[in-house]
Amino acid sequence: MRTPENTHSGISERGNRLLRQHAISTLSSVKEGLAAINALSGAAMTLFAVTPEGLLAGTVTDGDIRRAIISGIGLDDTLEKVMHKDFLAANPDDDLCLTIAEGRRRRLSLLPVVESGHIVDIIDLQSVKTFLPIDAVLMAGGRGERLRPLTLTTPKPLLEVGGKPIIDYNIEELESCGVKNIFVTVNYLAEQIIEHFDKRKGNAIVECILEPKRLGTIGSLALIDSFTSEDVLLMNSDLLTGIDFEAFYLKHKRSHADVTMAAVPYTVSVPFAILHLEGERVIGLEEKPTYNYFANAGVYLIKRDLLKRIVKGEFLDAPDFVENIISDGGKVECFPVQGTWIDIGSPDDYRHANEMMSHSLLKK
């Protein structure tokens, strides 16, 4: 296990810098507010109006000042008469993903994090994707037999696409979404994957979990006893996908699902006329029909409490786990994946992924 490179107590380094740039006293004049906003040229044009006691009282934009001047406010009046008091702020205990989504809906540039009225951090919504309050598990224990001989000496998650191991695309995307705790379950050629993450630098804590034997896609979760979040993301490590993890999480929470499964469109075209029968009597024909389905994409969000169902040391695959949840009356939702999704399970898939990367077609 390794620790993150940057760990801060209190306000983050970036938050401190943003606070110095964007904080202004509520007692400052409108003219001083205009000068402060003008100095922000090229940055987010928002000020945080703070009382002499250090409490956040409102936000100020050039639009707020413009409307105030039109209504008769003078340049020597204080910002208390101008500031927007119905502002959006996050609490450190909030689900930041939901608050950030609301901030984006309101087209905000900066989101203050406030505790007891004081700004404890500032999130730059122009540079941060989101903060997903989840733990993540990437399954990397498979033998990759259909990709032999490539996987005889290299585990499939470490095969390179576009000069980078497959698994790193997923780790980096999760990091960019604010995921801090990532577990990687390993078995086949485990020492190579463990060494890879011992050397890797990043913002997340990545811990490899060694399976003593093959436990299936869900069984290995019983080996992890250090989950900290209410929901756990489980995914295959050998996927290349442009899934929107924030939208996936929001769908999971807003639908109050027990399990949410990512799904990809799958079309089956039959090159023959299909007979519709009653017994052996033909009652109709359908010429070369096409059937559209949703296929399991190998990415799941699961309520952590449900992991208690998994018996430690017993083999369990995800489809069986999900079927049991459904049978017991649990709520399982589907999240269609938009854009890229490649399950690198064969030499053709591997060539296709490299070809896409060489043409810069794989978008995250």
Side-chain angles (χ1 to χ4, degrees), residues 33 62 80 107 122 127 169 177 195 198 209 212 244 256 271 312 336 345 357:
D62 58 347
E80 284 183 301
R107 299 183 180 179
I122 295 175
S127 62
Y169 287 99
C177 291
E195 182 181 4
D198 281 343
I209 305 297
D244 184 335
H256 303 287
K312 193 171 184 177
M357 184 58 67

Side-chain angles (χ1 to χ4, degrees), residues 65-79:
I65 293 178
R66 202 165 49 243
R67 286 185 290 273
I69 290 175
I70 291 172
S71 68
I73 297 295
L75 292 178
D76 292 327
D77 284 315
T78 66
L79 291 177

Side-chain angles (χ1 to χ4, degrees), residues 32 84 88 143 155 178 189 226 231 293 306 313 343:
E32 289 172 324
H84 182 68
L88 178 69
R143 303 181 68 87
L189 298 178
S226 50
D231 300 282
Y293 302 95
L306 293 175
D343 179 5

Side-chain angles (χ1 to χ4, degrees), residues 3-58:
T3 56
E5 287 184 309
N6 300 310
T7 303
H8 304 281
S9 59
I11 191 166
S12 67
E13 182 179 338
R14 172 175 284 186
N16 245 326
R17 175 176 57 78
L18 290 173
L19 186 57
R20 288 194 299 270
Q21 290 177 329
H22 295 268
I24 192 167
S25 172
T26 54
L27 303 181
S28 296
S29 68
V30 171
K31 183 176 180 180
E32 289 172 324
L34 279 172
I37 289 175
N38 187 61
L40 291 172
S41 180
M45 309 286 275
T46 301
L47 298 176
F48 296 108
V50 179
T51 69
E53 296 76 28
L55 302 176
L56 177 61

Side-chain angles (χ1 to χ4, degrees), residues 142-360:
R143 303 181 68 87
E145 293 180 352
R146 288 185 295 160
L147 278 169
R148 290 185 175 181
L150 293 174
T151 52
L152 287 174
T153 57
T154 303
K156 184 165 67 166
L158 294 187
L159 292 178
E160 292 193 353
V161 172
K164 183 191 298 185
I166 299 166
I167 193 171
D168 282 358
Y169 287 99
N170 295 309
I171 294 286
E172 290 170 8
E173 182 65 13
L174 290 171
E175 281 183 323
S176 76
C177 291
V179 178
K180 297 299 183 184
N181 296 313
I182 302 175
F183 301 89
V184 179
T185 60
V186 295
N187 181 273
Y188 177 67
L189 298 178
E191 65 284 351
Q192 292 188 36
I193 301 176
I194 293 171
E195 182 181 4
H196 174 74
F197 286 110
D198 281 343
K199 294 178 179 178
R200 184 184 179 277
K201 295 181 179 180
N203 293 322
I205 298 173
V206 180
E207 180 178 353
C208 291
I209 305 297
L210 181 62
E211 294 180 322
K213 61 179 181 178
R214 289 185 65 249
L215 294 172
T217 49
I218 286 282
S220 60
L221 293 183
L223 302 175
I224 304 171
D225 57 9
S226 50
F227 290 127
T228 60
S229 63
E230 292 183 1
D231 300 282
V232 175
L233 175 81
L234 174 68
M235 67 180 295
N236 295 327
S237 65
D238 51 7
L239 296 176
L240 287 179
T241 175
I243 186 173
D244 184 335
F245 284 109
E246 181 185 47
F248 185 37
Y249 173 78
L250 292 174
K251 167 68 181 292
H252 178 70
K253 298 304 285 187
R254 288 168 177 166
S255 64
H256 303 287
D258 294 304
V259 179
T260 302
M261 302 176 61
V264 290
Y266 188 79
T267 300
V268 177
S269 296
V270 181
F272 310 105
I274 297 298
L275 306 185
H276 294 286
L277 303 174
E278 283 185 357
E280 294 183 352
R281 180 186 175 189
V282 178
I283 58 173
L285 293 99
E286 190 174 1
E287 186 67 30
K288 299 180 180 179
T290 296
Y291 301 102
N292 296 306
Y293 302 95
F294 276 110
N296 185 0
V299 187
Y300 312 83
L301 267 169
I302 306 168
K303 282 187 177 178
R304 187 179 70 182
D305 286 347
L306 293 175
L307 303 184
K308 297 174 184 176
R309 294 167 166 255
I310 306 169
V311 179
K312 193 171 184 177
E314 288 191 6
F315 183 96
L316 181 62
D317 267 335
D320 296 322
F321 177 78
V322 172
E323 287 280 4
N324 289 335
I325 299 296
I326 295 171
S327 296
D328 291 342
K331 185 175 184 181
V332 177
E333 288 280 318
C334 165
F335 177 80
V337 175
Q338 305 293 325
T340 301
W341 182 86
I342 305 175
D343 179 5
I344 302 177
S346 69
D348 285 343
D349 295 329
Y350 187 54
R351 282 190 293 271
H352 177 50
N354 273 290
E355 183 177 325
M356 289 188 71
M357 184 58 67
S358 68
H359 291 90
S360 300

